């Protein structure tokens, strides 16, 4: 997990996390922070192992740690955060030692993590999509009734 740990230490990654935190300081709903990123990573690892995809754990963590890193841009200028995430993540992945093929695979997953068409794919994209949606504990959320997620998407029970 050496390269995933490099992401955590990368100056631009730290900067983007701080920008997410600042942009969501008054947000009452789910936040796009380290807790969320780690929940997504761990759920994706569990899905990967139980469903037998065989995707390298470090690639899963790379995608999960970076998938919402551009959320602040969406608040700032309306750039969809999955597109912002792809733009912001490339340099970080390069600096952290991911190969060109690995970068492409991770960036594709980041770019598709809101695309429901890929949710059943047995790929990093499909894993990231499902883990991201499963990570939200709507059943325990005090502001769930005000959330704009469709009722069918909300996690009202523990599912895996």
């Amino acid at each position: 997990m050496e390269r995933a740990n490099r992401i955590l230490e990368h100056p631009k990654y730290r900067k983007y996390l701080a920008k997410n935190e600042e942009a969501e300081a008054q947000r009452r709903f789910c936040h796009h922070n380290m807790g969320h990123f780690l929940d997504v990573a761990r759920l994706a690892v569990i899905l990967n192992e139980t469903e037998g995809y065989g995707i390298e754990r470090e690639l899963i963590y790379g995608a999960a740690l970076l998938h919402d890193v551009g959320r602040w841009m969406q608040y700032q200028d309306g750039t969809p955060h999955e597109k912002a995430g792809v733009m912001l993540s490339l340099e970080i992945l390069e600096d952290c030692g991911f190969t060109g093929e690995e970068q492409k695979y991770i960036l594709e997953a980041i770019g598709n993590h809101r695309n429901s068409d890929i949710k059943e794919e047995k790929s990093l994209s499909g894993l990231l999509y499902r883990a991201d949606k499963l990570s939200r504990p709507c059943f325990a959320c005090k502001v769930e009734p005000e959330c704009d997620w469709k009722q069918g998407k909300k996690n009202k029970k523990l599912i895996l």
Side-chain angles (χ1 to χ4, degrees), residues 26-43:
Q26 302 304 314
R27 183 178 166 91
R28 296 178 56 220
F29 303 105
C30 296
H31 287 236
H32 302 85
N33 57 20
M34 187 59 68
H36 171 60
F37 300 161
L38 291 174
D39 286 347
V40 170
R42 292 172 180 142
L43 284 165

Side-chain angles (χ1 to χ4, degrees), residues 1-4 41-42 44-46 48-50 54-65 98 102 105-106 124 127:
M1 296 287 284
E2 182 181 329
R3 296 177 296 169
R42 292 172 180 142
V45 166
I46 292 168
N48 183 52
E49 291 176 5
T50 59
I55 298 170
E56 185 184 338
R57 191 175 285 200
E58 195 156 39
L59 299 180
I60 293 170
Y61 267 82
L65 290 172
F98 289 88
E102 290 170 333
Y105 197 45
I106 291 169
L124 183 58
L127 270 180

Side-chain angles (χ1 to χ4, degrees), residues 62-84:
L65 290 172
L66 292 164
H67 80 283
D68 281 336
V69 80
R71 187 69 180 191
W72 60 274
M73 285 183 74
Q74 187 165 326
Y75 297 122
Q76 181 178 296
D77 64 16
T79 301
H81 74 270
E82 66 277 16
K83 291 182 182 188

Side-chain angles (χ1 to χ4, degrees), residues 10-28:
H10 196 283
K12 287 193 175 177
Y13 182 69
R14 305 298 291 181
K15 175 182 170 185
Y16 302 149
L17 286 180
K19 285 179 173 261
N20 274 0
E21 185 177 343
E22 182 181 325
E24 294 185 336
Q26 302 304 314
R27 183 178 166 91
R28 296 178 56 220

